[in-house]
Amino acid sequence: MQKPKGTYDIYGNKAEQMLYFRKLAETLMNMYNAKYFETPIFESSELFHRGVGETTDIVSKETYDFKDRGDRNLTLRPEGTAGIVRCFIENKLYAENLPLKAWYYGPMFRYERPQAGRHREFYQFGLEAFGTYDPIMDAEVISILVNLFKLLGLKGIKVNINTLGDKESRENYREALISYFKPYINDLCDDCQNRFEKNPLRILDCKVDGEKDIMKCAPKITDYLNDESKKHFDKVKEYLDAMDINYVVNPNIVRGLDYYTHTVFEVEADIEGFGSQNVLGAGGRYNNLVENIGGPSIPGVGFAIGVERLLLALEMEGIDIRESSTPEIYVIPMGDECKSKSMNLVNTLRLNGFRVEMDYNNRNLKSNFKNADKLNVKYIIIVGEDEINTKILTIKDNYSKEEYKVNVYELIDFLDEKLGDNDEN
């Protein structure tokens, strides 16, 4: 039996990196007063068709759709926003104190071509902020991504931003794009020809036609913004300037989802050899999505990160974010008669916060020392009959090979001092 194509097993170093990143994300979200949300891995197919958009590649090509035994149309979630919005509406969270910031972390599913950093089952970390039209929230959401990448040690972080304007601005721009692309329709790829009538903004996001001159000369959204949309975008830039966040206005950013209005953004880092697109996180504002899914008129703004792609970028930069899970202490019981006392000792040490392993297989002393070396433990504790009778434990520093005799009642203080000093060094 083998795992399905496009999936992978998480263990070893990768598991340690994933756990560390989740812990870092949780810590950062607490700093921003964001609350953790978890939604079902599968939802009604209609949610993603209405939320993500019928014309997006995600819905039209990449979703895992199926019928359950009740003949209901269900879909494995391809992204996190729609599920969070559904939860926000169904549980009437709009009646609580707003704005509400909701963060999530979990597996998503898209049927796409597997490649480095991209899988059919992948993990996504994201944030959704509901309840304010103020552009200051756009800037804060962008700053979270920037600060996260800085905390991870990435360099050359840059924000690419654009605005799609409000509904009026976007509709004016849509008509301008239809007029512009109509003479060139046969020069576009099949996907873009399908997008022409349904959602011409998505043509600008095409990876096939992106470098053609007709794309470079296409109308810019900034020329079709009304005054309100211009003011919103100017304020976002003002707040980014106030936080000393480096950004570039890129009029070709439209994002691949239909629900965006006003600000859209992509955050990248300078990673040598990572490819032409160093984007690691992206998002934008969606003032109409809650209403489109069946809720009240509540604005939102958010971002998402593909965790595997981020970890690949860190690997290419030589950044190891694993947190040590190596045992600090190895306990050796000298025979079956000493195992009960050893288990009591191990349990006490673990309850006091130490990482402890012990010999379960009745190895001889020489084999146990070899095993301690493999585990790279700092201290070895030997528990024999003499130690049990005298309550004086033999402790060996496995690095310096120095030995100590420590009263069992003073053991915790001894290890706190020794391992505390070791952590500081």
Side-chain angles (χ1 to χ4, degrees):
M1 298 292 292
Q2 294 183 331
K3 60 186 178 297
K5 183 178 181 180
T7 65
Y8 70 106
D9 299 314
I10 301 174
Y11 63 94
N13 292 346
K14 182 67 70 175
E16 292 178 3
Q17 291 172 342
M18 296 279 279
L19 287 172
Y20 179 87
F21 175 76
R22 193 190 189 287
K23 186 184 297 185
L24 178 65
E26 182 176 0
T27 299
L28 188 65
M29 291 297 93
N30 288 338
M31 293 178 181
Y32 285 87
N33 190 35
K35 309 304 180 185
Y36 179 67
F37 278 52
E38 190 165 325
T39 59
I41 285 180
F42 60 88
E43 302 249 17
S44 165
S45 297
E46 184 186 8
L47 171 66
F48 300 110
H49 284 254
R50 290 174 62 182
V52 178
E54 296 277 4
T55 64
T56 62
D57 286 350
I58 292 175
V59 169
S60 63
K61 299 179 180 179
E62 298 173 0
T63 52
Y64 281 87
D65 303 315
F66 63 98
K67 283 184 179 289
D68 69 2
R69 295 186 180 185
D71 202 37
R72 289 173 284 258
N73 292 313
L74 300 172
T75 297
L76 295 179
R77 62 187 186 193
E79 55 92 51
T81 301
I84 297 293
V85 172
R86 191 269 313 147
C87 173
F88 178 76
I89 297 168
E90 184 173 345
N91 294 286
K92 297 181 172 57
L93 300 180
Y94 49 80
E96 298 185 5
N97 187 37
L98 297 179
L100 168 68
K101 302 171 196 171
W103 73 276
Y104 61 88
Y105 181 97
M108 310 291 164
F109 305 85
R110 297 182 191 176
Y111 190 88
E112 57 182 349
R113 184 173 63 86
Q115 53 187 298
R118 295 189 186 277
H119 306 274
R120 290 176 177 175
E121 179 183 14
F122 62 97
Y123 277 76
Q124 193 175 80
F125 161 59
L127 170 84
E128 314 297 342
F130 301 104
T132 178
Y133 290 95
D134 198 306
I136 199 168
M137 186 60 78
D138 304 40
E140 176 168 299
V141 167
I142 292 171
S143 75
I144 294 174
L145 271 182
V146 172
N147 292 338
L148 174 63
F149 295 155
K150 285 182 178 179
L151 286 172
L152 289 168
L154 291 168
K155 306 296 183 184
I157 299 166
K158 183 178 71 174
V159 178
N160 294 283
I161 60 172
N162 190 26
T163 178
L164 302 178
D166 59 11
K167 186 176 181 180
E168 177 189 13
S169 301
R170 185 166 176 156
E171 187 58 34
N172 291 337
Y173 186 47
R174 180 182 184 279
E175 294 302 319
L177 287 176
I178 290 175
S179 297
Y180 173 77
F181 282 118
K182 191 171 184 178
Y184 306 106
I185 188 67
N186 293 327
D187 298 325
L188 300 175
C189 69
D190 291 341
D191 284 340
C192 285
Q193 290 183 30
N194 291 329
R195 294 165 181 157
F196 176 73
E197 290 291 347
K198 295 178 180 178
N199 189 353
L201 272 72
R202 292 279 289 111
I203 296 176
L204 301 176
D205 201 36
C206 181
K207 302 298 184 289
V208 177
D209 297 328
E211 296 302 316
K212 291 183 177 180
D213 289 339
I214 55 174
M215 292 294 191
K216 296 176 182 178
C217 297
K220 308 300 182 187
I221 180 64
T222 48
D223 295 330
Y224 295 87
L225 298 175
N226 56 27
D227 289 341
E228 181 182 349
S229 297
K230 288 179 182 177
K231 288 177 182 178
H232 187 100
F233 194 45
D234 287 341
K235 277 294 182 182
V236 174
K237 292 184 286 184
E238 178 185 324
Y239 295 134
L240 292 176
D241 288 334
M243 291 185 284
D244 296 321
I245 291 177
N246 179 34
Y247 66 86
V248 173
V249 176
N250 183 346
N252 289 326
I253 294 177
V254 296
R255 302 299 303 144
L257 306 176
D258 286 354
Y259 50 65
Y260 287 121
T261 57
H262 288 291
T263 312
V264 289
F265 57 87
E266 296 177 343
V267 183
E268 62 181 59
D270 186 11
I271 304 165
E272 186 175 352
F274 197 55
S276 59
Q277 194 175 34
N278 287 339
V279 175
L280 297 176
R285 175 168 282 278
Y286 45 86
N287 287 346
N288 305 314
L289 180 58
V290 176
E291 190 172 10
N292 290 345
I293 291 180
S297 181
I298 300 286
V301 57
F303 71 75
I305 295 172
V307 176
E308 289 86 351
R309 183 168 167 79
L310 175 59
L311 294 182
L312 178 61
L314 294 173
E315 180 183 335
M316 295 188 71
E317 286 294 280
I319 300 172
D320 188 351
I321 63 170
R322 289 177 297 158
E323 190 170 53
S324 177
S325 60
T326 302
E328 303 164 297
I329 301 163
Y330 186 65
V331 175
I332 303 174
M334 300 299 291
D336 284 341
E337 63 278 4
C338 299
K339 280 188 174 180
S340 293
K341 290 293 184 181
S342 297
M343 281 300 297
N344 178 271
L345 175 63
V346 167
N347 192 54
T348 299
L349 290 172
R350 286 170 175 162
L351 288 174
N352 279 272
F354 297 103
R355 302 191 301 274
V356 187
E357 187 56 284
M358 69 175 290
D359 172 33
Y360 302 99
N361 294 325
N362 299 316
R363 297 180 180 91
N364 61 39
L365 201 57
K366 183 178 180 181
S367 296
N368 266 312
F369 285 152
K370 286 184 177 179
N371 194 44
D373 288 338
K374 290 178 182 178
L375 293 171
N376 194 31
V377 297
K378 172 64 173 171
Y379 288 106
I380 299 171
I381 300 178
I382 299 172
V383 181
E385 288 187 12
D386 288 345
E387 284 78 11
I388 292 171
N389 292 331
T390 63
K391 300 189 186 311
I392 302 296
L393 298 172
T394 301
I395 302 177
K396 180 180 179 180
D397 185 322
N398 201 37
Y399 296 169
S400 68
K401 307 305 178 185
E402 191 173 356
E403 284 195 1
Y404 304 89
K405 297 292 184 178
V406 180
N407 189 293
V408 67
Y409 299 111
E410 298 173 354
L411 179 61
I412 300 301
D413 290 338
F414 172 84
L415 292 172
D416 272 337
E417 180 182 350
K418 290 295 185 180
L419 290 170
D421 289 344
N422 186 55
D423 288 343
E424 290 174 7
N425 293 333

